[in-house]
Amino acid sequence: DESFDPTDPLAGGGITKRLWTVAQPPGSVENFQPSPYLPETNFACNIVGEYVFTLTVENAQGCSDTCSRTILVNPPQGIHIELTWNTPSDPDQSDRCSPGIQCGSDMDLHVVHPYARGDVLDPQGQVYGYFDDDWDCYWANAHPVWDLQHASDPLYQPNLDRDDTDGAGPENFTYPIPPKDKCFRVGVHYFDDHTFGRSYPTIRVYLDSATPIYEKTVSKGMNMLDMWDVGRICYWDQSRPFQEFTKSNGDPVIISNYRSP
């Protein structure tokens, strides 16, 4: 076919191979879906940070070229919290589970309203409130209505934007317009290790900025059913918007065998 030009770079012309790659921010382990070898593919930028996407193409003569673009992902307004985790014994933390298949560790982000109730008390005699049916925003109560005055406006309500059950995360919490007189408890629960064992969670807290006001990794890791009582966020308190909870030696507060009701 004399009309076929093997040097034509356009799709349908001489291109025979394509490859999409991405340099992701720390904590992101996303993959291209359904494949990085297709002319058009999908990628979810699930955490805040810089993503550098590169497309490499090769034509029928073996000539190749690349093009890169940088995308900056900023957090939404208000409170934004990210949970990611690293489980060293999991050989592929970027895989996705089919229904009924356990292919990664499962940690859960919890953000608790001060109205929450429960039977477990912290060292100060206050209830932790984790797993409260109404006042804990987590995977089983991802979109609660906490501001009844603005019940029909989602900007005034908290949301767990993403629940991850197959390793690494992220799990993301967003509260665009939080109340000016409430503080919220933040926790991480190691719900199920799916036989992959110890894991190392990281929390990042953002307030109307792409720079986190708090970032912490549990360097000693967590075991299954551990609860990390991270701290308290007060959006309205400019002098101390986040209070980290620590033991007397500075270690994070980890409660063992904290079971879901």
Side-chain angles (χ1 to χ4, degrees), residues 9 13 22 28 70-71 135 203 211 244 249 259:
V22 59
S28 178
T70 299
I71 303 296
W135 301 106
I203 281 282
T211 301
E244 181 185 26
N249 63 359
R259 294 180 177 272

Side-chain angles (χ1 to χ4, degrees), residues 143-171:
H143 311 292
V145 177
W146 286 354
D147 189 339
L148 297 179
Q149 185 177 356
H150 303 89
S152 62
D153 190 340
L155 293 179
Y156 287 84
Q157 313 304 333
N159 286 280
L160 184 74
D161 304 321
R162 189 175 190 274
D163 174 38
D164 187 282
T165 63
D166 50 19
E171 293 207 355

Side-chain angles (χ1 to χ4, degrees), residues 112-121 126-136 258 261:
V112 178
H113 192 283
Y115 291 169
R117 294 294 178 262
D119 298 328
V120 184
L121 304 182
Q126 303 294 319
V127 296
Y128 287 108
Y130 296 119
F131 298 104
D132 184 288
D133 289 340
D134 300 312
W135 301 106
D136 181 5
Y258 200 116

